[in-house]
Amino acid sequence: GNSVTQMEGPVTLSEEAFLTINCTYTATGYPSLFWYVQYPGEGLQLLLKATKADDKGSNKGFEATYRKETTSFHLEKGSVQVSDSAVYFCALKDGGATNKLIFGTGTLLAVQP
Amino acid sequence: DAGVIQSPRHEVTEMGQEVTLRCKPISGHDYLFWYRQTMMRGLELLIYFNNNVPIDDSGMPEDRFSAKMPNASFSTLKIQPSEPRDSAVYFCASTDSVTGNNSPLHFGNGTRLTVT
């Protein structure tokens, strides 16, 4: 079945450091890929998405490129801020009609001043 | 738009009691999802509805859990009887099929359930 694997956290970085959170997926067909972010005490919210191979999603300085050859969708940011501290979830939706999302386990990012 | 609204934000109850969690999706959204989040298991999809009809309830852990969607603006998740292992944060999310197959999920702020 479809699944998402992301790196375990926590990831602890200093402000302005470079961030990478790895995400790989297993899916039949051509899934759409997403990154969601969860700030403390809140629900998840969409950060970025990519719907086909080689697409790059970007938002708030974060980027992720849909790599079909490596079945990956790694999240990157060139310079993190304290306000980026949150839990980040990679997710996929298969190409069928359903809107069901399959989430990874989440990666906690802690950015220190 | 007020977003997805869940109530209560926190619920503390004793083992064996009935618990009802409530959700109001965003107006116009035709899909509604119930997720459970724990440290051990991450984010699990319990059940989802399309146009008020349950489509997939394979994630519901056992018969103690039930979910209903009597109309397009309201859904409940009920646990009866509750057990300590049900302690988790329960999220409701909604989306629509009108804007395309990749419309994002909109999550509520969750209900933190503690069963003692």
Side-chain angles (χ1 to χ4, degrees):
Chain A
N2 296 344
S3 66
V4 174
T5 302
Q6 57 182 110
M7 64 189 288
E8 290 200 16
V11 174
T12 303
L13 296 174
S14 298
E15 211 165 18
E16 299 184 3
F18 183 85
L19 168 70
T20 300
I21 300 178
N22 290 339
C23 171
T24 57
Y25 67 89
T26 301
T28 54
Y30 302 95
S32 295
L33 301 173
F34 304 81
W35 278 100
Y36 278 76
V37 59
Q38 183 181 28
Y39 298 104
E42 298 183 10
L44 282 70
Q45 53 186 278
L46 179 66
L47 180 60
L48 53 85
K49 68 180 181 183
T51 59
K52 60 183 187 297
D54 300 326
D55 265 4
K56 176 186 283 188
S58 61
N59 186 25
K60 300 180 181 180
F62 291 88
E63 294 183 338
T65 301
Y66 189 145
R67 302 284 188 200
K68 193 169 187 298
E69 63 276 13
T70 54
T71 61
S72 65
F73 193 55
H74 304 322
L75 182 68
E76 297 181 336
K77 187 175 185 181
S79 176
V80 293
Q81 305 300 311
V82 173
S83 58
D84 294 327
S85 299
V87 181
Y88 292 81
F89 291 87
C90 186
L92 72 81
K93 184 162 61 173
D94 65 27
T98 175
N99 274 322
K100 185 170 72 172
L101 278 179
I102 296 170
F103 286 92
T105 53
T107 302
L108 173 63
L109 170 65
V111 181
Q112 300 173 338
Chain B
D1 193 333
V4 175
I5 299 173
Q6 292 186 244
S7 64
R9 283 299 309 271
H10 302 274
E11 177 79 40
V12 180
T13 191
E14 293 184 346
M15 183 174 63
Q17 297 298 306
E18 177 180 296
V19 174
T20 299
L21 311 181
R22 297 173 174 80
C23 175
K24 176 178 167 54
I26 291 174
S27 177
H29 282 187
D30 55 346
Y31 279 87
L32 184 141
F33 301 78
W34 281 101
Y35 284 89
R36 178 171 68 175
Q37 185 179 37
T38 61
M39 288 293 292
M40 292 298 296
R41 302 171 71 94
L43 203 61
E44 302 173 275
L45 176 63
L46 301 178
I47 184 172
Y48 77 96
F49 296 82
N50 179 219
N51 291 323
N52 313 337
V53 176
I55 302 301
D56 183 353
D57 65 353
S58 59
M60 296 286 261
E62 48 198 274
D63 292 345
R64 298 185 296 106
F65 285 70
S66 62
K68 294 181 180 180
M69 193 165 185
N71 57 62
S73 59
F74 184 64
S75 177
T76 59
L77 177 67
K78 186 176 293 186
I79 308 173
Q80 166 62 18
S82 58
E83 297 182 3
R85 59 194 169 116
D86 301 331
S87 297
V89 181
Y90 291 81
F91 287 102
C92 176
S94 69
T95 190
D96 70 87
S97 54
V98 175
T99 54
N101 196 33
N102 295 307
S103 51
L105 286 186
H106 297 263
F107 281 78
N109 285 334
T111 295
R112 181 174 295 276
L113 173 64
T114 303
V115 183
T116 61

